[in-house]
Amino acid sequence: MNKRSLIKIMIILILAFVFIFSLSACAPQKRPLLKRNSQQQEEKKPPKELDELRDSIEKIEKSLQSLHEKGKMPYTLLEEEATKKLQEEQKKQGGGSEGGGVSSEGGQGGQGGNTQNKPTQEEIKKVLEQEQLKKVEDIKKDILELHNAWSQYEPKAVADLAPPASITEFENALNNLTKVIENNDVFSSLLEVNELYKALPDFYILYKTKAPPEIDRIRYG
């Protein structure tokens, strides 16, 4: 074997050794790489703060929708409901006095004890106003909780590079909702809730979701 052939063989052996060494050196790095990829996929899931924000909006929407539907009912039906409520309260308050009415009414107190006075229009109106006021006050409390939910998610939205315009759009809709509900304006409040929904897809699109966020964009756009 001449010297040139020997040199070629040595070069081939060296290259083969370098190739095998490089493969063995790269192999341990595959597991950390897979682990990093898995962590990145986990990070892409919507944070619980965003889901809680959506749940808070849905709760307000349901309450407003219920109030809006009741406002469209004929006033006569509302009167009937208020009348039944007042009569039930009368029955509870006078339930223990039925037996005592016998002596004062000459034996006919049993019948008189079951007799209920028909509520006046003023009483009915007062009941309806109180019901409306209570429901609106409950919605106002829910809106305060929505402000808190947004304050919890907003830093994450910024960190996850949510579009600044979307953040501003959501904040404007939330502030407008807070203002219009103070005037007991249920319909305008529903419109502002719709604006909140329109901004949500811009946040959900930052993460890995089961359903495409564009569905909500079409629904509320």
Side-chain angles (χ1 to χ4, degrees), residues 171-188:
E171 289 178 339
N172 288 341
L174 181 55
N175 290 333
N176 289 338
L177 173 62
T178 307
K179 291 177 183 177
V180 295
I181 196 62
E182 288 295 331
N183 298 324
N184 296 347
D185 191 341
V186 176
F187 181 73
S188 295

Side-chain angles (χ1 to χ4, degrees), residues 19-33:
F19 179 73
I20 293 172
F21 179 78
S22 63
L23 287 177
S24 61
C26 291
Q29 295 179 4
K30 289 182 179 179
R31 288 185 180 178
L33 181 61

